[in-house]
Amino acid sequence: IDRSFGCHICLTGAVQQYCCLTCVVKAPTGGWLRWYPKFPRVLFVLTGAGRQAMDNRISDLQAMAAHHPLVAELAREVPLGAVVLEDLEEHGATSDVWVPLVGGGRRSWTEL
């Protein structure tokens, strides 16, 4: 959950941290990958600011997913999405409220 306390750089930095995490879990150490062979979706829930600010944060995430090499690589393997908390509360998680960070329009989290 991103509560809009930090700048957009802090938010996009979180995406980069997930990239590093996927590199670690790909290491041939067994562990949880025996039971969960795929890295889970990375979903951002945004709140704490006005609609325009939330839309801008989603645009920032999309731009990073398109232009940052590690994030682009992650996006090829792991579904990435974002939603505004108020949309999630009003319409539900399975509604078309999730914005994919790479390509396409709003959809359900299960279709990312």
Side-chain angles (χ1 to χ4, degrees):
I1 293 183
D2 172 61
R3 299 187 195 289
S4 301
F5 294 139
C7 64
H8 70 280
I9 294 171
C10 297
L11 177 59
T12 56
V15 178
Q16 293 174 13
Q17 290 175 354
Y18 284 113
C19 293
C20 294
L21 181 60
T22 59
C23 293
V24 170
V25 297
K26 286 181 186 176
T29 58
W32 68 275
L33 287 175
R34 287 185 296 221
W35 295 281
Y36 303 101
K38 289 178 59 178
F39 196 82
R41 292 171 181 87
V42 177
L43 304 174
F44 292 89
V45 179
L46 308 176
T47 189
R51 173 56 74 170
Q52 185 62 49
M54 297 293 96
D55 290 343
N56 290 343
R57 290 176 88 77
I58 291 173
S59 293
D60 289 343
L61 287 168
Q62 289 174 317
M64 170 140 67
H67 300 293
H68 191 284
L70 286 175
V71 179
E73 181 181 337
L74 174 69
R76 284 191 289 276
E77 298 179 28
V78 177
L80 306 174
V83 67
V84 174
L85 179 61
E86 291 75 17
D87 293 342
L88 192 60
E89 291 173 332
E90 182 177 342
H91 302 287
T94 57
S95 296
D96 293 344
V97 294
W98 293 91
V99 178
L101 299 190
V102 179
R106 294 179 181 270
R107 59 191 72 167
S108 168
W109 72 273
T110 60
E111 297 173 5
L112 288 172

